[in-house]
Amino acid sequence: MGIEIERRFLVRGGSWRDAATGARRLRQGYLAREGGVTVRLRLEPGAARLTIKGPGGLVRPEYDYPLPPQEAAEMLERLCTGRRLDKTRHDVPHGGLMWEVDVFEGPLAGLVIAEVELPHPGHRLVLPCWAGREVTEDPRYANAALASAAAPPEG
């Protein structure tokens, strides 16, 4: 069984940009979101994935499969209306782990979230200075919820 162990934080300021080692634009859409289970399509330059995530916060089941990019693009347009988001993901190494800083576009412009996958749930995480409030357990900041949002969450 696939497992995702991930923590998420709001980002303060732009000092993380100096440490970024790469970036790519992502388009995501959600085919289903029910009972804590999400089925996501992700399209990035030259690749596409279908990901099924189970319920949970820090630790949850995750299954990930490659898709032909053209089919994923068609599904995003035809099947994910009202459940899509665009963002640029920046890779930022810190504390021996690779952080991913997502800069959202469109109605979510201004929202910046950093996430980091951990090797195990008890891993001692060294937070960078730009990591703000943790939102791992806040369902308003889940990408599946953001994909239907008209604006970034308040508070």
Side-chain angles (χ1 to χ4, degrees), residues 93-111:
H94 178 80
L97 297 171
M98 184 59 72
W99 289 68
E100 295 172 327
V101 177
D102 291 338
V103 178
F104 290 83
E105 302 169 19
L108 299 172
L111 179 62

Side-chain angles (χ1 to χ4, degrees), residues 8 12 18 20-21 27 51 71 80 97-98 119 135:
R8 297 168 51 93
R12 296 186 298 228
D18 294 335
T21 59
R27 295 185 65 219
T51 305
E71 288 182 22
C80 299
L97 297 171
M98 184 59 72
V135 294

